Amino acid sequence: MIRYLIKKLITLLILLGLVSITVFAVLFVLPGDPAQIILGINATPESLATLRAELGLDKSFMGQYAHWMGNLLLGQSQQSIHYKMPVYELIRDSLAVTGPLALLAMLFALAISLPFGIYAARHQNQAGDVVVMVCTQLGLATPEFWFGILLTLLFSVQLGWFSAGGFPGWSTDCWGSLKALLLPAFALGVIRASILTRLTRSSMLEVLSEDYVRTARAKGLKERTVVYGHALRNALAPVLTIMGLQLGQLLAGAIIIENVFFLPGLGRLVFNAIGQRDLPVVRDIVLFMAAAVVVVNFLVDIAYAVIDPRIQLE
Amino acid sequence: MTKRSLGKIFLLSFIFILSALLILSCEKSTETGRDAEKLNKLTEQVEKLTEKVDQLSKQVDEMGRKLEKFSETMAAPQRGGSLVLCVGDEPPGLDPTASASAAIDRVVYANIMEGLIKVDRNGKFVPGLAAKWDVSPDGKVYTFQLRQGVKFHNGEIFNARVARWNLERGAAADTKNAHPEFFRVIEKIETPYDYTLVVTLKDVDALFIVHMAEGDAVMLPMKGYENTAAAPIGTGPFKFAKWTRGDSVGMVRNEKYWNPALPYLDKVTYRFIKDPSAQVAALKAGDVDIIGWLFAPELAADIAIDKRFKVLSGASTSEVIMSTNNKAKPFDNKLVRQAIAYAIDRQTVIDLVMAGYGTVIGSHWPPVTPYYKKMSDRFPFNPQKAKELLAQAGYPSGFEATIKLPAIYPYSQRAGEVIADMLGQIGIKLKIEIVEWGFWLDRIFKQKDFELSMIGHAEAWDIGIYANPNYYFQYDSQEFREAYAKALKAPNEAEKAKWFGRCQEIIAEDAVNGFLFLSPALSAMKVELMNWWENYPTIALDCTEVWWKR
């Protein structure tokens, strides 16, 4: 287990190193001058030069990279060009939105996909199964931003139950904040549930045709015990893999849905930062996203071992 | 309201009696069975009369609306309440003296910070922190009498010494101001009394007062100006409260504002929502009270019919132009540019792109700004003439070109598509390329690597960009430079009008860019919100005199 952990940690570090170089290089050659974006198109060349010097943009490639890496290793945050505050604080604040949003979306996805997936598997090729499959097909084909807009039109504009977007902040209004996340999380969750439902169904079908399930049934166990006690646990492994990928994706920011619901989350932060050439923010967030995906995958690996004791973490 | 309905009732009863009489007389004539033609004539007359009544009732309606508006301006404003305002772009910092970004001015200018001069709702220059000012006969010495009893939000006193420090800060060698040239025309600043500021210019500058009324020239406190970008301090009617990054900027009423009657609102929040449909959804769901700049003009009509909301459509200072690279072939040929000017039906562009909101322009000058000269008739839509000019220029069968459109502005892409179709009619095939904003700034604006583009120039009084041959559209005209220099040095109003007018004429005649339309100042708000600015003659969304009717 320890060896496994160390191995994972080394992989993480190598990965982050590679990501940092790639990100840095891409942003370095990306056309667009942060100073120009801040000062506007009618700024004089000398004011541009002053600002470029202040932002450290006049240094060489290696100079800027070393500066960034040095800060990163020392745990010091760089200042956001656009927001004039430390990048780490920005990431922390936006994670307070994106983190709960991602978890809530996954909860919705699980709450929808597990029951429907199991139901469809148990009633394979019957009317119920067909309905579920058609619905998931529909869910797969629906763009989430469009679904989000539909939800806003119904629940915010017509019924007035939810606000159309925005985020009051956990410290000022806890219930309001949770409420603000419900619609976007549902929009994200339903679309992801479509994939998970299909996966649960096929995985369940496979497991249900295994010998041990037949044995369990032959022993005279109740169908309920067979399905939930014996089959489900084994059927969950592939579902878990996809869930891990989805959670990683969601943590990396649901850019479009955050824009539709104007939530100040990680996705919108990085999206705006790219547009504004707020390079310190983009770099750090991309690194963070890469790390998040690796960590989530690592957690999924551990979960495998918990679900299926035959799997050894080596 | 009652007057209006009384008028309607009167008119309707009038027409009713008239038609009754007509019908009676018709019956008589049919009875005698003599003349069916007479009947037709009479029906025609009735129709005509009905039309007239329609017109009249429309006029009555219009008068009613005017009356409402008048009563709005005359009604005593009520105090209190908070306002949530939706704007599209989040500003890059909150310091207007460190950036020319319009997004900053739209949040802080006139709300948190003020300058010596202000622009009023009609585009006139009125006293701001300077209660009055005089100009010497030679046009070089400006004497400002500053308002007394003005304090910054941190308690510092505003006086001539502070004003002088601010102007010197803008001109300093290490200034971060995006427009140091506004201040570098100053030769010396004297402060003979605590509240008298005497500014002597190196030379006459017709735009000095204009520049002093812009966000770049706001007054900051000498102590505590350092953190303006994150926590601004000014003299304005509202104090900065909180900036929730990615979401909103909040401000509260300044209880010690120099004008004790203002502001009316207790709290103002600027919320940043970029997506046009999300903006409208937020308004309809009640999350925001007003959309300061409606990104989706096509949704304006839909909002206006909803009784809870009203839409104001005034004039802004943003000219949307099809920027043309005057050094790129074949656009370096004046005939080609004029042919394009003839080929564009600008009213149709407005109808298709802005849902009919906006004003046709023919030069680079907003109609709401003084010294405007109407040039929009210079190139009326005439495809035939366009083809002739194109043939004369040596392109009888047209040519191919690329138009690069910045993705961040929805109007730009739409206008690009419409114009590509219009130019296609005279044989110019446009390839459309959508580019991201940073890319636009770098490749098009800086490196001038483009043939055509499309962008709104937000600032008023920016015609001087045509005097700079290195500006991205690379227009090089000695005649214009001379006219502009004369305008800047004009000693009196008549001369200013003459030479600024001449400047507008020259670039219109040269068809430097495709002058399309003036962006509408399109705002949508709850009906109870009073006294919002209909026109935006300066770059600000000023909440000072806005109030809630309860």
Side-chain angles (χ1 to χ4, degrees), chain B residues 260-406:
Chain B
L262 294 172
Y264 302 120
L265 297 166
D266 290 333
K267 226 177 117 186
V268 177
T269 309
Y270 282 77
R271 192 164 231 183
F272 313 114
I273 306 175
K274 193 140 201 158
D275 186 72
S277 48
Q279 286 188 337
V280 176
L283 181 74
K284 289 197 165 174
D287 295 324
V288 301
D289 302 313
I290 169 170
I291 304 173
W293 272 92
L294 194 60
F295 272 3
E298 69 277 10
L299 298 179
D302 178 49
I303 300 172
I305 52 167
D306 192 327
K307 285 211 172 77
R308 296 173 295 164
F309 307 111
K310 59 183 171 186
V311 171
L312 295 185
S313 151
S316 74
T317 57
S318 181
E319 305 97 350
V320 174
I321 59 172
M322 179 170 73
S323 335
T324 308
N325 190 342
N326 280 240
K327 290 241 166 85
K329 274 199 181 307
F331 302 100
D332 54 346
N333 188 334
K334 183 170 154 183
L335 291 174
V336 171
R337 297 196 304 266
Q338 289 183 333
I340 291 175
Y342 274 121
I344 297 174
D345 179 358
R346 282 163 287 172
Q347 189 54 50
T348 306
V349 173
I350 292 177
D351 291 344
L352 293 177
V353 177
M354 305 301 289
Y357 297 97
T359 319
V360 169
I361 53 169
S363 189
H364 199 101
W365 199 278
V368 278
T369 306
Y371 318 128
Y372 169 70
K373 186 157 194 177
K374 189 175 179 203
M375 296 305 301
S376 47
D377 298 335
R378 173 60 188 87
F379 295 101
F381 176 52
N382 188 345
Q384 199 46 46
K385 181 105 184 159
K387 276 184 194 160
E388 282 166 31
L389 282 177
L390 216 52
Q392 217 178 314
Y395 302 94
S397 51
F399 54 84
E400 283 181 20
T402 308
I403 183 163
K404 293 181 179 168
L405 307 169

Side-chain angles (χ1 to χ4, degrees), chain A residues 31-33 36-39 41-44 46-47 54 82-85 90 156 163-165 260 262 264 268 277, chain B residues 90-93 98-100 176-179 181 184 243 245-246 272-273 278 287 436 438-439 441-442 445 459 471:
Chain A
D33 177 2
Q36 184 92 63
I37 291 180
I38 291 178
L39 289 180
I41 58 173
N42 283 348
T44 56
E46 45 172 332
S47 359
E54 191 196 320
H82 188 88
Y83 292 118
K84 321 284 177 203
M85 69 185 279
L90 279 175
S156 311
S163 58
V260 169
F262 43 103
R268 204 165 93 141
R277 294 291 184 278
Chain B
E90 183 162 17
S99 163
K176 288 177 195 160
N177 203 298
H179 289 293
E181 76 279 8
R184 289 188 181 154
W243 180 9
R245 267 72 173 182
F272 313 114
I273 306 175
D287 295 324
E436 185 259 346
F439 185 94
L441 282 175
D442 195 68
F445 188 70
E459 292 173 27
Y471 204 64

Side-chain angles (χ1 to χ4, degrees), chain A residues 5-308:
Chain A
L5 260 181
I6 293 173
K7 225 165 95 183
K8 277 277 156 184
L9 204 68
I10 292 172
T11 325
L12 178 67
L13 285 179
I14 294 174
L15 184 84
L16 288 186
L18 287 175
V19 169
S20 75
I21 293 172
T22 319
V23 168
F24 194 85
V26 167
L27 291 182
F28 195 84
V29 296
L30 188 68
D33 177 2
Q36 184 92 63
I37 291 180
I38 291 178
L39 289 180
I41 58 173
N42 283 348
T44 56
E46 45 172 332
S47 359
L48 282 172
T50 317
L51 186 65
R52 288 178 62 81
E54 191 196 320
L55 297 176
L57 294 170
D58 50 350
K59 287 190 201 141
S60 68
F61 178 87
M62 278 322 284
Q64 289 188 42
Y65 182 72
H67 182 69
W68 176 42
M69 276 294 121
N71 274 330
L72 208 64
L73 291 176
L74 290 171
Q76 269 172 5
S77 177
Q78 278 184 300
Q79 194 86 356
S80 152
I81 294 175
H82 188 88
Y83 292 118
K84 321 284 177 203
M85 69 185 279
V87 178
Y88 295 172
E89 282 176 35
L90 279 175
I91 295 183
R92 187 196 62 202
D93 291 351
S94 52
L95 263 187
V97 179
T98 300
L101 178 67
L103 289 178
L104 221 62
M106 271 341 283
L107 273 182
F108 274 124
L110 270 184
I112 296 168
S113 61
L114 283 188
F116 282 110
I118 295 169
Y119 174 84
R122 287 178 63 188
H123 301 83
Q124 194 193 0
N125 294 336
Q126 293 170 19
D129 179 32
V130 173
V131 171
V132 170
M133 282 302 101
V134 168
C135 286
T136 57
Q137 193 70 50
L138 213 65
L140 281 175
T142 310
E144 60 195 21
F145 77 90
W146 183 76
F147 189 57
I149 291 174
L150 283 192
L151 288 178
T152 335
L153 282 181
L154 178 62
F155 290 104
S156 311
V157 176
Q158 289 300 323
L159 297 171
W161 294 350
F162 293 89
S163 58
F167 189 75
W170 294 108
S171 52
T172 44
D173 183 0
C174 199
W175 166 236
S177 302
L178 186 69
K179 224 173 121 183
L181 294 184
L182 283 180
L183 283 190
F186 188 68
L188 289 170
V190 164
I191 307 302
R192 273 153 191 81
S194 307
I195 303 168
L196 289 184
T197 308
R198 293 183 146 245
L199 206 70
T200 313
R201 175 181 177 271
S202 59
S203 170
M204 202 67 188
L205 280 175
E206 204 175 300
V207 174
L208 283 178
S209 63
E210 295 271 346
D211 288 346
Y212 69 88
V213 173
R214 202 176 47 200
T215 316
R217 280 187 178 137
K219 276 199 304 189
L221 288 179
K222 275 191 211 147
E223 185 63 13
R224 182 177 279 273
T225 323
V226 174
V227 172
Y228 294 100
H230 294 240
L232 181 60
R233 196 168 166 168
N234 288 304
L236 274 185
V239 178
L240 208 65
T241 316
I242 298 300
M243 255 183 70
L245 287 177
Q246 288 185 340
L247 189 65
Q249 257 179 18
L250 284 174
L251 273 181
I255 295 180
I256 294 173
I257 219 78
E258 280 178 2
N259 269 311
V260 169
F261 287 93
F262 43 103
L263 295 169
L266 204 63
R268 204 165 93 141
L269 182 65
V270 73
F271 177 73
N272 287 339
I274 293 170
Q276 294 146 352
R277 294 291 184 278
D278 197 341
L279 304 183
V281 175
V282 182
R283 284 179 211 139
D284 285 357
I285 292 185
V286 172
L287 262 197
F288 172 81
M289 285 174 175
V293 170
V294 174
V295 169
V296 169
N297 279 337
F298 168 67
L299 293 177
V300 168
D301 284 352
I302 291 180
Y304 277 159
V306 174
I307 288 181
D308 189 346

Side-chain angles (χ1 to χ4, degrees), chain B residues 76-120:
Chain B
Q78 290 162 306
R79 271 210 175 189
S82 58
L83 179 71
V84 183
L85 214 146
C86 160
V87 284
D89 296 315
E90 183 162 17
L94 298 174
D95 187 353
T97 68
S99 163
S101 162
I104 300 180
D105 289 358
R106 287 201 180 110
V107 175
V108 301
Y109 186 47
N111 291 319
I112 296 176
M113 297 154 185
E114 301 167 301
L116 296 174
I117 317 283
K118 226 185 137 159
V119 179
D120 76 358

